[in-house]
Amino acid sequence: MPDALLHDYFRSSASYRVRIALNLKGISYRQHAVDLRHDEQKTAEYRALNPQALVPMLEMNGERLTQSLAIFDYLDAQVKEPPFVPSEPRPRAHVLALALTVACDIHPLNNLRVLRYLKTELGQSQEAVDSWYRHWCAEGLAALEALAAPTAGEFLYGDQLSMADICLVPQLYNARRLDTPLDDLPTLTRIDAMLTQLPAFAAAHPDKQESAS
């Protein structure tokens, strides 16, 4: 498998997800740090590569791939093991629903550009911005707990690791950074504690990235 180039930011949840996915698939990759704190994603050079001016972006096999879940799908087609979704329709739909609860319902409301807009354009205090983050994160995680608990085993869906697990760990990392209460999420916190010990997840941790500071 040829080397890939991942454009990412060390604390980006979506970038964290893709680092985990690449590690699980055993795909070697180089990193190009795009520092969101200094708006490096908005430079003309980066916009020419990715018009959305977001991270992550994966360059692989001559392709430029964006959106973390779309990248998961591409990686699944390239490397079959481990699969990120079950093959049967009902379990597959459930795993996708769990992953999308994070990627579509929690994360978009709480990513850096939204929090910045609340503070700089709408004039909200840092206290108000932090309260916004915790509210939407707690609400989304409570729903994820309820959705996952009935079918959870070692992982969020039974005993098969899936893209739902890949989405969980970065979201809980950022939830803790903003002091979001996690006491009422026994399923999520149990599985997160196990996952973070796995080499593919541990190596993807923000603190392990060269650009972390």
Side-chain angles (χ1 to χ4, degrees):
M1 182 64 63
D3 282 352
L5 175 62
L6 178 65
H7 302 264
D8 76 348
Y9 174 60
F10 73 107
R11 280 203 189 119
S12 158
S13 293
S15 296
Y16 190 174
R17 293 173 204 150
V18 173
R19 293 194 299 265
I20 294 168
L22 288 165
N23 293 342
L24 286 168
K25 294 292 190 181
I27 298 172
S28 62
Y29 63 96
R30 295 171 291 118
Q31 289 172 272
H32 169 235
V34 180
D35 197 330
L36 305 188
R37 297 167 297 184
H38 300 118
D39 287 335
E40 290 180 0
Q41 76 279 14
K42 296 180 181 179
T43 64
E45 292 80 7
Y46 188 69
R47 282 186 183 274
L49 298 174
N50 181 1
Q52 279 192 297
L54 299 174
V55 292
M57 182 179 73
L58 180 66
E59 295 192 64
M60 182 176 172
N61 297 335
E63 304 288 346
R64 291 175 184 158
L65 307 164
T66 62
Q67 295 294 337
S68 61
L69 269 64
I71 293 172
F72 294 168
D73 185 67
Y74 180 85
L75 297 179
D76 246 359
Q78 297 294 314
V79 180
K80 298 302 183 184
E81 296 294 333
F84 290 157
V85 290
S87 58
E88 294 298 314
R90 189 171 183 277
R92 180 186 178 91
H94 183 60
V95 164
L96 286 169
L98 297 177
L100 290 167
T101 298
V102 174
C104 292
D105 295 338
I106 303 174
H107 176 236
L109 287 167
N110 291 319
N111 67 14
L112 183 59
R113 62 177 179 161
V114 170
L115 301 181
R116 276 184 171 177
Y117 188 85
L118 288 170
K119 188 170 184 178
T120 60
E121 301 298 325
L122 300 184
Q124 299 299 308
S125 67
Q126 188 61 53
E127 181 180 1
V129 171
D130 291 347
S131 178
W132 165 283
Y133 181 98
R134 285 189 289 268
H135 170 79
W136 293 114
C137 189
E139 183 173 284
L141 289 174
L144 184 63
E145 172 76 21
L147 287 168
T151 55
E154 184 179 8
F155 300 103
L156 281 180
Y157 181 74
D159 295 328
Q160 179 180 346
L161 188 148
S162 72
M163 68 165 61
D165 302 292
I166 299 172
C167 289
L168 173 68
V169 170
Q171 188 59 59
L172 289 193
Y173 164 79
N174 277 323
R176 292 186 178 99
R177 287 185 59 240
L178 273 293
D179 298 321
T180 306
L182 303 178
D183 294 342
D184 295 330
L185 307 172
T187 306
L188 303 188
T189 53
R190 170 181 63 81
I191 293 168
D192 173 74
M194 180 275 296
L195 289 169
T196 54
Q197 301 304 307
L198 299 179
F201 286 78
H205 192 281
D207 291 348
K208 297 289 183 66
Q209 308 314 303
E210 290 186 6
S211 59
S213 61

